[in-house]
Amino acid sequence: MTALNDTRALPSRYLAETHEVVNVSCELADYNMYAQDTALREAVQREGAAWANADLQRFGQLTGAAEYLEQGALANKHLPELETHDRFGNRIDLVKFHPAYHRLMDTAITHGLHSSPWTDPRPGAHVARAAGNYLHTQAEAGHGCPITMTFAAIPTLRLQPDLAAQWAPKITARVYDPRNVPVAQKVGVTIGMAMTEKQGGSDVRANTTQAYPVGQGGPGQMYELVGHKYFVSAPMCDAFLVLAQTAKGLSCFLLPRWRPDGSKNPMQVLRLKKKMGNASNASSETELRGALAWMVGEEGRGVRNIIEMVAMTRFDCMVGSSAGMRMALSQALHHCAHRSAFGKRLVEQPLMQNVLADLALESEAAMVLSLRMARALDERADSRHEDLLVRLMTAVGKYWICKRTPQHAYEAMECIGGSGVMEDSMFPRLFRESPVNAIWEGSGNVQCLDVLRAMAKEPEVVQAFFDELRPTQGQNPHLDAQVRALAQEIKEPAGMEYRARHVVERMALAMQASLLLRVAPDFVADAFCASRLDGQGSFHYGALPRGAQVQAIIERATPRVG
Ligand SMILES: Cc1cc2nc3c(=O)[nH]c(=O)nc-3n(C[C@H](O)[C@H](O)[C@H](O)COP(=O)(O)OP(=O)(O)OC[C@H]3O[C@@H](n4cnc5c(N)ncnc54)[C@H](O)[C@@H]3O)c2cc1C
């Protein structure tokens, strides 16, 4: 009799392969994310950043490398951890990150994604940065939060020139220094933002944090802040722009994590949030226990002052969500080119072509609007029209693009089938990230109300909006009808707040359609207009009407590996 542990005598069929692995896809990796994105390259050229082409080519090679994409996965798998005290009991408020997170931060900062338009403000600077951000976010989104906040802090800080002179060189330096040490010891620093409190996030005027002047008080002067902040992302930033109440109302402050004497400023991190997405980025709850801070800008004008920062973060939300869509689309296109079912590759199945082409239209429209707004940022100082566009279309675009992303992420996941749901694919991460941009930095309704506010306070924004659409007048009957209907809707003030989403959605679609008619191939623009403006839109992706040139749309959008 054969011993139970003696397998030598077993017939070889028991050790045979169970099956051959065929008809499966492969990683979308080791590709040049920029070179393989035709629409993005065209946009960079068109919107004034052709000079950045060579840099973006190199950057796209980096962000699409298998080894680099792996950093994104690692930074989300190994979550940040908070240590409130050291082993001796001293308060340290230290958040530890995986090395992959630091690598992503370092790349972003050394490539100037946190500062290039401020340090090198040439024509196309915002466009080039947005394109770089679009690429880097595709590798990983969470680290983008402190990168964006650091970038966005500059316009608010400039309202207080003495503070700006002291801080801006370190904020804009291309040096990432994650050490938990006072600012004086650092060449490069990062900046966060603390507005939201338990009782009020959108309605920041409900903030109860109090600021007490240490001396005479006023702009640029030192205060002590007492209160709580319910959401503070990236709590390892070196300083934060914070809202707090003074005798004259809500005011804006710059609060460093360390006092000038080298002691810890009592901004204490209570715990990290348990987030469903945006996992690599630590978000915290904090208490300010007499933390020193310096007033930024006019007292009592805190919202007005910090809104300079918020406008920039909202712009980055548009870019970030567009990037999320592009990655989801790229993954879906790549998979469907490598997987067959019922005798044909998925990308050849007519119904899948409809889905993929529809996802591609959404992605391109989002990117085109985002980069058009980047040019508006570049030109706003010299052009009233561009300035008005920034005021109106940042809110419109933030609302629309960020809101379109979760459905897009889910539908792209479904293109993969069951394996798209698995944690070792990129889709769970893309999906969990997808609602975040829509909610923070002013949730959907808040954006719509901001559009109404802009139209009421500066009616010229409405004219700028219609002026921007004028070049495509008469080119597409669906768009012409939409523009006429919008003009009527906007003229009718009754019930405007109730109708705000309806109006803003149509503004976004009209702008995207008009831009695509101007800049994209006819097969993209025509399919976009026919599917989004004919009033019979489907609730789901994949219902493009007859005649859409789906193969051409797919071909344009598909990234090739190698
Ligand atoms: C991952 C993450 C990180 C964050 N990091 C930070 C941070 O670093 N710093 C910071 O300050 N904040 C941060 N926030 C907070 C975020 O900005 C707020 O959650 C957001 O502004 C909404 O505020 P709230 O949560 O208090 O919701 P609420 O203000 O209570 O809003 C709830 C809902 O009501 C809607 N609503 C509000 N007012 C109106 C109205 N008048 N009419 C119709 N609808 C309305 C909103 O659109 C929203 O849908 C973060 C949030 C998240 C999710």
Side-chain angles (χ1 to χ4, degrees), residues 217-422:
Q221 297 303 309
M222 189 162 62
Y223 286 74
E224 277 184 346
L225 269 51
V226 178
H228 79 283
K229 292 290 169 183
Y230 198 42
F231 283 86
V232 180
S233 286
M236 294 313 286
C237 284
D238 296 281
F240 301 83
L241 283 164
V242 180
L243 290 180
Q245 304 282 359
T246 68
K248 291 189 181 166
L250 202 59
S251 305
C252 181
F253 296 87
L254 182 73
L255 185 157
R257 250 175 354 95
W258 296 80
R259 293 169 181 241
D261 65 3
S263 63
K264 253 193 101 273
N265 208 7
M267 176 185 191
Q268 299 185 344
V269 182
L270 301 185
R271 62 170 177 164
L272 296 187
K273 296 279 197 189
K274 297 172 184 170
K275 292 184 287 182
M276 58 85 77
N278 199 251
S280 67
N281 173 36
S283 299
S284 68
E285 295 172 15
T286 66
E287 284 192 340
L288 312 178
R289 296 168 172 266
L292 289 186
W294 284 257
M295 186 179 278
V296 178
E298 201 181 328
E299 185 172 356
R301 303 272 293 164
V303 176
R304 180 71 209 88
N305 296 345
I306 210 165
I307 211 76
E308 302 279 335
M309 177 177 192
V310 173
M312 287 290 161
T313 61
R314 288 177 178 173
F315 166 71
D316 270 15
C317 287
M318 291 169 65
V319 176
S321 288
S322 303
M325 281 195 214
R326 173 64 193 165
M327 180 46 93
L329 172 70
S330 298
Q331 296 279 345
L333 289 167
H334 178 77
H335 177 87
C336 292
H338 290 84
R339 172 86 165 174
S340 297
F342 301 100
K344 269 196 267 191
R345 287 187 307 146
L346 286 173
V347 74
E348 292 160 347
Q349 302 282 6
L351 186 50
M352 184 58 96
Q353 288 178 333
N354 196 325
V355 174
L356 292 171
D358 206 2
L359 292 173
L361 293 177
E362 194 69 32
S363 166
E364 181 162 348
M367 184 277 295
V368 162
L369 176 54
S370 298
L371 262 69
R372 172 66 187 88
M373 293 315 297
R375 175 156 67 85
L377 286 172
D378 277 322
E379 297 178 0
R380 71 189 297 192
D382 302 322
S383 159
R384 178 78 180 139
H385 173 74
E386 299 296 321
D387 193 41
L388 292 166
L389 274 190
V390 170
R391 174 66 191 95
L392 186 73
M393 291 307 297
T394 311
V396 171
K398 200 275 188 184
Y399 170 78
W400 179 246
I401 293 172
C402 299
K403 252 200 198 310
R404 293 290 284 171
T405 306
Q407 181 72 13
H408 190 277
Y410 147 67
E411 197 68 65
M413 178 191 278
E414 188 167 313
C415 293
I416 292 11
S419 296
V421 182
M422 299 306 133

Side-chain angles (χ1 to χ4, degrees), residues 193-196 200-202 231-233 275 283 436 439-446 449:
M193 177 170 67
M195 298 191 291
T196 310
S202 309
F231 283 86
V232 180
S233 286
K275 292 184 287 182
S283 299
V436 175
I439 293 174
W440 65 15
E441 306 308 325
S443 309
N445 289 352
V446 171
L449 296 175

Side-chain angles (χ1 to χ4, degrees), residues 79-299:
L79 302 185
E81 289 178 0
L82 170 65
E83 288 180 10
T84 53
H85 296 79
D86 67 13
R87 69 194 181 95
F88 306 104
N90 297 306
R91 183 107 214 167
I92 51 172
D93 298 295
L94 176 68
V95 181
K96 288 186 170 167
F97 296 88
H98 188 269
Y101 174 85
H102 292 304
R103 167 103 183 267
L104 291 158
M105 288 292 289
D106 187 70
T107 304
I109 287 179
T110 51
H111 285 80
L113 297 185
H114 69 307
S115 66
S116 53
W118 314 135
T119 52
D120 188 11
R122 59 174 129 166
H126 280 285
V127 174
R129 173 187 174 268
N133 226 2
Y134 182 78
L135 297 172
H136 209 231
T137 304
Q138 289 182 60
E140 208 284 314
H143 79 283
C145 172
I147 296 299
T148 284
M149 292 192 293
T150 303
F151 163 70
I154 291 289
T156 291
L157 211 50
R158 282 179 176 165
L159 299 172
Q160 192 60 49
D162 49 339
L163 282 180
Q166 196 185 330
W167 281 83
K170 292 191 183 203
I171 295 172
T172 55
R174 292 192 180 199
V175 176
Y176 175 54
D177 185 345
R179 288 175 306 144
N180 191 22
V181 297
V183 170
Q185 298 176 31
K186 292 192 177 192
V187 175
V189 299
T190 52
I191 303 291
M193 177 170 67
M195 298 191 291
T196 310
E197 297 184 3
K198 286 177 188 164
Q199 73 284 355
S202 309
D203 186 6
V204 288
R205 288 178 202 279
N207 274 193
T208 57
T209 295
Q210 287 292 328
Y212 303 96
V214 173
Q216 64 197 42
Q221 297 303 309
M222 189 162 62
Y223 286 74
E224 277 184 346
L225 269 51
V226 178
H228 79 283
K229 292 290 169 183
Y230 198 42
F231 283 86
V232 180
S233 286
M236 294 313 286
C237 284
D238 296 281
F240 301 83
L241 283 164
V242 180
L243 290 180
Q245 304 282 359
T246 68
K248 291 189 181 166
L250 202 59
S251 305
C252 181
F253 296 87
L254 182 73
L255 185 157
R257 250 175 354 95
W258 296 80
R259 293 169 181 241
D261 65 3
S263 63
K264 253 193 101 273
N265 208 7
M267 176 185 191
Q268 299 185 344
V269 182
L270 301 185
R271 62 170 177 164
L272 296 187
K273 296 279 197 189
K274 297 172 184 170
K275 292 184 287 182
M276 58 85 77
N278 199 251
S280 67
N281 173 36
S283 299
S284 68
E285 295 172 15
T286 66
E287 284 192 340
L288 312 178
R289 296 168 172 266
L292 289 186
W294 284 257
M295 186 179 278
V296 178
E298 201 181 328
E299 185 172 356

